[in-house]
């Protein structure tokens, strides 16, 4: 009496991993196949399935039964094609060894669905489903947590903000309500994670070196950056004053739009001043002006026009801002917004045209240069 111990691989992983023609039969051939599958993918459950088929065949031989071990693997196309391929391989094994019964070894419920195909050709004495004893998800989580705790940078990024938040939480609960306390702690943790995640710490650490290099090089942009900072403060101050003039019953969004509307011109001038300083630095160094540097002032003006247009539209809708009058013609809020948007687009297109005519590099060159600079910094 001959028993066929058949290892079923419906998904075709064994065939893809080894490129060995299927079916494979015989003790030595299957043992060699285990080695090839294990070397191709040590984490593949098919390795355990093949080893289990060898173990079952060995146990049957120890009980004085004639056992033949074989492996069938599905095709790569569809499930129907895979099942037909397995049926053809089973027919080949049956014709070769003439077994009286079969023991089916599978490693998943998907492979177990092939059981009717085997039963249509051979009596099935047993179905052996291999279940890996190792709890993969739990063990992986344990080792990931262990590796996380061993990494000093990760600990300082995650554990330190969480620890500070837990320490601050009891004090906040004593002085404020529960909602305010938890909102403050979550905001603190979120700010700390963003500070680290956006690499703001690395940028701030590099600021002193950049300022020192700029001072030693005599760059004009140092002065223009200081002027831009002053203009920014002026814009925020005037924006806050304009908000105080708006009635206190106005919604918060209206007051915010008033702040933006009043501050945007000053912020745009500040950005334009900083961009001009950078442009002058390249002119002083007798270098060719790069396209993105030349286009930056036009981009600043375009963005300022669009943002001021949207802010003015909202304020005019709330009757905070007087209608725009051009040549004794009252412009509606929608027409006002359209005028500002079109002006921003025109300025932006004009800047692109000027940069393409006078600039010295293309967009691809800028991207490659920035990637090189980033690689040198890391």
């Amino acid at each position: 009496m001959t028993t066929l111990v058949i290892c079923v691989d419906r998904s075709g992983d064994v065939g893809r991993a080894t490129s060995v023609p299927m079916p494979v039969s015989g003790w030595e051939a299957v043992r060699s196949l285990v080695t090839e599958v294990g070397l191709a993918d040590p984490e593949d459950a098919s390795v355990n399935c093949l080893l289990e088929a060898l173990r079952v065949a060995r146990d049957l031989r120890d009980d004085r039964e004639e056992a033949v071990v074989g492996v069938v693997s599905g095709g790569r196309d569809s499930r129907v094609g895979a099942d037909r391929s397995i049926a053809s391989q089973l027919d080949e094994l049956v014709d070769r060894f003439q077994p009286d019964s079969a023991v089916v070894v599978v490693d998943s419920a998907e492979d177990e669905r092939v059981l009717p195909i085997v039963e249509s050709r051979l009596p099935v004495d047993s179905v052996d489903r291999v279940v890996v004893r190792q709890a993969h998800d739990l063990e992986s989580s344990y080792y990931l947590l262990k590796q996380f705790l061993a990494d000093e940078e990760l600990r300082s990024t995650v554990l330190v903000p969480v620890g500070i938040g837990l320490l601050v939480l009891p004090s906040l609960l004593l002085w404020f309500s529960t909602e305010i306390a938890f909102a403050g702690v979550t905001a603190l943790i979120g700010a700390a994670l963003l500070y680290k995640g956006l690499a703001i710490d690395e940028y701030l650490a590099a600021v002193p070196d950049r300022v020192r290099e700029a001072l030693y090089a005599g760059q004009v942009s140092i002065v223009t950056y200081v002027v831009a900072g002053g203009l920014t403060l002026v814009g925020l101050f005037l924006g806050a004053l304009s908000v105080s003039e708006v009635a206190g019953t106005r919604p918060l969004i209206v007051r915010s739009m008033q702040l933006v509307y009043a501050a945007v011109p000053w912020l745009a001038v500040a950005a334009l001043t900083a961009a001009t300083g950078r442009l002058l630095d390249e002119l002083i160094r007798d270098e060719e002006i790069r396209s993105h540097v030349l286009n930056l002032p036009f981009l600043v003006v375009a963005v300022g026009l669009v943002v001021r247009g949207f802010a003015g539209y909202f304020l005019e809708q709330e009757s905070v801002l007087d209608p725009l009058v051009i040549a004794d013609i009252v412009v509606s809020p929608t027409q006002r917004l359209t005028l500002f948007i079109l002006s921003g687009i025109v300025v932006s297109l004009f800047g692109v045209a000027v940069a393409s005519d006078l600039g010295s590099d293309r967009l691809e060159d800028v991207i490659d240069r920035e990637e090189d600079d980033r690689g040198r910094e890391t």
Side-chain angles (χ1 to χ4, degrees), residues 38-75:
L39 291 176
D41 187 2
E43 296 183 350
D44 194 347
S46 300
V47 178
N48 302 94
C49 186
L50 294 170
L51 291 173
E52 177 66 10
L54 290 173
R55 187 192 67 81
V56 172
R58 183 194 62 186
D59 293 343
L60 291 175
R61 289 176 181 177
D62 292 341
D63 294 337
R64 306 297 180 180
E65 296 185 23
E66 186 176 353
V68 178
V69 62
V71 181
V72 293
S73 181

Side-chain angles (χ1 to χ4, degrees), residues 13-264:
D13 294 335
V14 174
R16 285 194 294 269
T18 61
S19 299
V20 175
M22 294 291 165
V24 176
S25 59
W27 179 272
E28 294 298 332
V30 174
R31 190 167 65 173
S32 176
L33 183 64
V34 172
T35 303
E36 292 189 27
V37 175
L39 291 176
D41 187 2
E43 296 183 350
D44 194 347
S46 300
V47 178
N48 302 94
C49 186
L50 294 170
L51 291 173
E52 177 66 10
L54 290 173
R55 187 192 67 81
V56 172
R58 183 194 62 186
D59 293 343
L60 291 175
R61 289 176 181 177
D62 292 341
D63 294 337
R64 306 297 180 180
E65 296 185 23
E66 186 176 353
V68 178
V69 62
V71 181
V72 293
S73 181
R76 303 185 181 183
D77 43 6
S78 61
R79 291 184 178 179
V80 175
D83 292 343
R84 288 176 176 174
S85 177
I86 290 176
S88 175
Q89 297 170 35
L90 281 172
D91 292 337
E92 182 179 342
L93 292 175
V94 170
D95 293 340
R96 185 186 307 173
F97 298 105
Q98 297 297 321
D100 299 300
S101 62
V103 175
V104 181
V105 181
V106 296
D107 61 7
S108 65
E110 181 72 17
D111 295 336
E112 201 168 346
R113 294 178 181 177
V114 185
L115 188 59
I117 300 176
V118 182
E119 291 176 334
S120 65
R121 289 159 174 80
L122 284 172
V124 176
D125 291 343
S126 175
V127 177
D128 187 356
R129 183 174 177 181
V130 180
V131 178
V132 181
R133 187 178 298 115
Q134 170 185 349
H136 186 273
D137 293 337
L138 291 176
E139 186 172 3
S140 299
S141 301
Y142 167 74
Y143 281 109
L144 286 175
L145 180 60
K146 186 176 180 180
Q147 184 179 7
F148 168 76
L149 294 176
D151 193 322
E152 183 178 355
E153 184 175 357
L154 286 176
R155 290 203 311 268
S156 62
T157 304
V158 178
L159 296 184
V160 171
V162 173
I164 293 176
L166 294 177
L167 288 175
V168 172
L169 181 59
S171 301
L172 294 178
L173 289 174
L174 290 175
W175 292 96
F176 303 100
S177 63
T178 305
E179 293 80 4
I180 296 178
F182 279 100
V185 170
T186 54
L188 173 64
I189 296 176
L193 294 179
L194 286 177
Y195 177 80
K196 193 69 176 180
L198 297 176
I200 298 177
D201 56 337
E202 298 178 3
Y203 177 80
L204 294 179
V207 166
D209 294 334
R210 293 181 180 179
V211 172
R212 190 182 305 110
E213 292 176 1
L215 289 174
Y216 290 157
Q219 294 180 0
V220 180
S221 58
I222 289 294
V223 179
T224 57
Y225 286 159
V226 174
V227 175
L231 292 174
T232 301
L233 293 177
V234 172
L236 295 177
F237 178 74
L238 293 179
L241 287 179
S242 65
V243 170
S244 63
E245 297 175 359
V246 179
T249 57
R250 296 284 185 177
L252 179 61
I253 184 65
V254 175
R255 285 179 284 176
S256 300
M257 287 298 103
Q258 179 66 30
L259 173 64
V260 171
Y261 183 82
V264 158

Side-chain angles (χ1 to χ4, degrees), residues 343-359:
S343 300
I345 294 175
V346 170
V347 172
S348 178
L349 293 177
F350 182 72
V352 171
V354 172
S356 61
D357 291 338
L358 302 179

